[in-house]
PDB file of all heavy atoms in Angstrom:
ATOM      1  N   ASP A 460     171.808 110.404 122.197  1.00  0.00           N
ATOM      2  CA  ASP A 460     172.631 111.249 121.326  1.00  0.00           C
ATOM      3  C   ASP A 460     173.139 110.459 120.135  1.00  0.00           C
ATOM      4  O   ASP A 460     173.188 110.953 119.008  1.00  0.00           O
ATOM      5  CB  ASP A 460     173.839 111.798 122.105  1.00  0.00           C
ATOM      6  CG  ASP A 460     173.490 112.974 123.012  1.00  0.00           C
ATOM      7  OD1 ASP A 460     172.345 113.455 122.935  1.00  0.00           O
ATOM      8  OD2 ASP A 460     174.363 113.388 123.787  1.00  0.00           O
ATOM      9  N   LEU A 461     173.545 109.219 120.388  1.00  0.00           N
ATOM     10  CA  LEU A 461     174.074 108.368 119.318  1.00  0.00           C
ATOM     11  C   LEU A 461     173.026 108.124 118.237  1.00  0.00           C
ATOM     12  O   LEU A 461     173.318 108.220 117.038  1.00  0.00           O
ATOM     13  CB  LEU A 461     174.550 107.034 119.905  1.00  0.00           C
ATOM     14  CG  LEU A 461     174.921 105.941 118.897  1.00  0.00           C
ATOM     15  CD1 LEU A 461     176.055 106.400 117.998  1.00  0.00           C
ATOM     16  CD2 LEU A 461     175.309 104.658 119.626  1.00  0.00           C
ATOM     17  N   HIS A 462     171.792 107.831 118.648  1.00  0.00           N
ATOM     18  CA  HIS A 462     170.733 107.576 117.676  1.00  0.00           C
ATOM     19  C   HIS A 462     170.383 108.836 116.876  1.00  0.00           C
ATOM     20  O   HIS A 462     170.112 108.764 115.673  1.00  0.00           O
ATOM     21  CB  HIS A 462     169.496 107.024 118.383  1.00  0.00           C
ATOM     22  CG  HIS A 462     169.606 105.578 118.745  1.00  0.00           C
ATOM     23  ND1 HIS A 462     169.341 104.558 117.858  1.00  0.00           N
ATOM     24  CD2 HIS A 462     169.986 104.975 119.891  1.00  0.00           C
ATOM     25  CE1 HIS A 462     169.522 103.399 118.443  1.00  0.00           C
ATOM     26  NE2 HIS A 462     169.920 103.617 119.685  1.00  0.00           N
ATOM     27  N   VAL A 463     170.399 109.998 117.545  1.00  0.00           N
ATOM     28  CA  VAL A 463     170.137 111.255 116.834  1.00  0.00           C
ATOM     29  C   VAL A 463     171.265 111.535 115.845  1.00  0.00           C
ATOM     30  O   VAL A 463     171.020 111.902 114.692  1.00  0.00           O
ATOM     31  CB  VAL A 463     169.995 112.431 117.825  1.00  0.00           C
ATOM     32  CG1 VAL A 463     169.873 113.758 117.078  1.00  0.00           C
ATOM     33  CG2 VAL A 463     168.783 112.236 118.723  1.00  0.00           C
ATOM     34  N   PHE A 464     172.493 111.361 116.285  1.00  0.00           N
ATOM     35  CA  PHE A 464     173.654 111.566 115.425  1.00  0.00           C
ATOM     36  C   PHE A 464     173.584 110.654 114.199  1.00  0.00           C
ATOM     37  O   PHE A 464     173.826 111.085 113.063  1.00  0.00           O
ATOM     38  CB  PHE A 464     174.933 111.278 116.220  1.00  0.00           C
ATOM     39  CG  PHE A 464     176.218 111.503 115.456  1.00  0.00           C
ATOM     40  CD1 PHE A 464     176.734 112.774 115.295  1.00  0.00           C
ATOM     41  CD2 PHE A 464     176.907 110.436 114.893  1.00  0.00           C
ATOM     42  CE1 PHE A 464     177.927 112.989 114.593  1.00  0.00           C
ATOM     43  CE2 PHE A 464     178.092 110.635 114.192  1.00  0.00           C
ATOM     44  CZ  PHE A 464     178.596 111.910 114.047  1.00  0.00           C
ATOM     45  N   ASN A 465     173.226 109.403 114.426  1.00  0.00           N
ATOM     46  CA  ASN A 465     173.126 108.438 113.332  1.00  0.00           C
ATOM     47  C   ASN A 465     172.023 108.827 112.351  1.00  0.00           C
ATOM     48  O   ASN A 465     172.179 108.710 111.128  1.00  0.00           O
ATOM     49  CB  ASN A 465     172.867 107.043 113.894  1.00  0.00           C
ATOM     50  CG  ASN A 465     173.154 105.947 112.897  1.00  0.00           C
ATOM     51  OD1 ASN A 465     174.223 105.910 112.291  1.00  0.00           O
ATOM     52  ND2 ASN A 465     172.221 105.044 112.713  1.00  0.00           N
ATOM     53  N   ALA A 466     170.906 109.308 112.874  1.00  0.00           N
ATOM     54  CA  ALA A 466     169.795 109.736 112.012  1.00  0.00           C
ATOM     55  C   ALA A 466     170.209 110.916 111.137  1.00  0.00           C
ATOM     56  O   ALA A 466     169.879 110.977 109.945  1.00  0.00           O
ATOM     57  CB  ALA A 466     168.584 110.112 112.860  1.00  0.00           C
ATOM     58  N   LEU A 467     170.941 111.867 111.709  1.00  0.00           N
ATOM     59  CA  LEU A 467     171.404 113.035 110.949  1.00  0.00           C
ATOM     60  C   LEU A 467     172.385 112.619 109.859  1.00  0.00           C
ATOM     61  O   LEU A 467     172.370 113.157 108.747  1.00  0.00           O
ATOM     62  CB  LEU A 467     172.057 114.044 111.897  1.00  0.00           C
ATOM     63  CG  LEU A 467     171.108 114.763 112.862  1.00  0.00           C
ATOM     64  CD1 LEU A 467     171.901 115.510 113.923  1.00  0.00           C
ATOM     65  CD2 LEU A 467     170.200 115.726 112.105  1.00  0.00           C
ATOM     66  N   LYS A 468     173.255 111.652 110.180  1.00  0.00           N
ATOM     67  CA  LYS A 468     174.201 111.163 109.178  1.00  0.00           C
ATOM     68  C   LYS A 468     173.469 110.516 108.006  1.00  0.00           C
ATOM     69  O   LYS A 468     173.809 110.732 106.839  1.00  0.00           O
ATOM     70  CB  LYS A 468     175.154 110.146 109.807  1.00  0.00           C
ATOM     71  CG  LYS A 468     176.307 110.759 110.603  1.00  0.00           C
ATOM     72  CD  LYS A 468     177.233 109.697 111.120  1.00  0.00           C
ATOM     73  CE  LYS A 468     177.878 108.912 109.978  1.00  0.00           C
ATOM     74  NZ  LYS A 468     178.781 107.846 110.476  1.00  0.00           N
ATOM     75  N   LYS A 469     172.465 109.719 108.321  1.00  0.00           N
ATOM     76  CA  LYS A 469     171.707 109.032 107.270  1.00  0.00           C
ATOM     77  C   LYS A 469     170.961 110.037 106.397  1.00  0.00           C
ATOM     78  O   LYS A 469     170.789 109.831 105.193  1.00  0.00           O
ATOM     79  CB  LYS A 469     170.733 108.035 107.891  1.00  0.00           C
ATOM     80  CG  LYS A 469     171.416 106.793 108.458  1.00  0.00           C
ATOM     81  CD  LYS A 469     170.392 105.807 108.990  1.00  0.00           C
ATOM     82  CE  LYS A 469     171.064 104.531 109.479  1.00  0.00           C
ATOM     83  NZ  LYS A 469     170.081 103.559 109.996  1.00  0.00           N
ATOM     84  N   GLN A 470     170.506 111.135 107.013  1.00  0.00           N
ATOM     85  CA  GLN A 470     169.801 112.168 106.268  1.00  0.00           C
ATOM     86  C   GLN A 470     170.762 113.100 105.539  1.00  0.00           C
ATOM     87  O   GLN A 470     170.333 113.961 104.776  1.00  0.00           O
ATOM     88  CB  GLN A 470     168.936 112.997 107.224  1.00  0.00           C
ATOM     89  CG  GLN A 470     167.819 112.225 107.894  1.00  0.00           C
ATOM     90  CD  GLN A 470     167.138 113.017 108.994  1.00  0.00           C
ATOM     91  OE1 GLN A 470     167.323 114.231 109.108  1.00  0.00           O
ATOM     92  NE2 GLN A 470     166.342 112.347 109.813  1.00  0.00           N
ATOM     93  N   GLN A 471     172.074 112.907 105.798  1.00  0.00           N
ATOM     94  CA  GLN A 471     173.116 113.758 105.223  1.00  0.00           C
ATOM     95  C   GLN A 471     172.809 115.231 105.496  1.00  0.00           C
ATOM     96  O   GLN A 471     172.898 116.079 104.614  1.00  0.00           O
ATOM     97  CB  GLN A 471     173.257 113.496 103.717  1.00  0.00           C
ATOM     98  CG  GLN A 471     173.684 112.068 103.400  1.00  0.00           C
ATOM     99  CD  GLN A 471     173.866 111.826 101.914  1.00  0.00           C
ATOM    100  OE1 GLN A 471     173.255 112.498 101.083  1.00  0.00           O
ATOM    101  NE2 GLN A 471     174.707 110.865 101.589  1.00  0.00           N
ATOM    102  N   ASP A 472     172.453 115.495 106.747  1.00  0.00           N
ATOM    103  CA  ASP A 472     172.093 116.847 107.160  1.00  0.00           C
ATOM    104  C   ASP A 472     173.347 117.716 107.254  1.00  0.00           C
ATOM    105  O   ASP A 472     174.289 117.394 107.981  1.00  0.00           O
ATOM    106  CB  ASP A 472     171.389 116.802 108.513  1.00  0.00           C
ATOM    107  CG  ASP A 472     170.637 118.087 108.826  1.00  0.00           C
ATOM    108  OD1 ASP A 472     171.272 119.155 108.792  1.00  0.00           O
ATOM    109  OD2 ASP A 472     169.432 118.008 109.092  1.00  0.00           O
ATOM    110  N   ILE A 473     173.372 118.827 106.517  1.00  0.00           N
ATOM    111  CA  ILE A 473     174.555 119.683 106.515  1.00  0.00           C
ATOM    112  C   ILE A 473     174.725 120.440 107.832  1.00  0.00           C
ATOM    113  O   ILE A 473     175.785 120.985 108.114  1.00  0.00           O
ATOM    114  CB  ILE A 473     174.495 120.702 105.346  1.00  0.00           C
ATOM    115  CG1 ILE A 473     173.260 121.595 105.472  1.00  0.00           C
ATOM    116  CG2 ILE A 473     174.520 119.989 104.013  1.00  0.00           C
ATOM    117  CD1 ILE A 473     173.217 122.706 104.440  1.00  0.00           C
TER     118      ILE A 473
END
Side-chain angles (χ1 to χ4, degrees):
D460 282 353
L461 170 60
H462 282 277
V463 174
F464 182 80
N465 197 51
L467 290 168
K468 280 183 62 181
K469 287 183 177 180
Q470 296 171 14
Q471 298 182 334
D472 196 305
I473 60 174

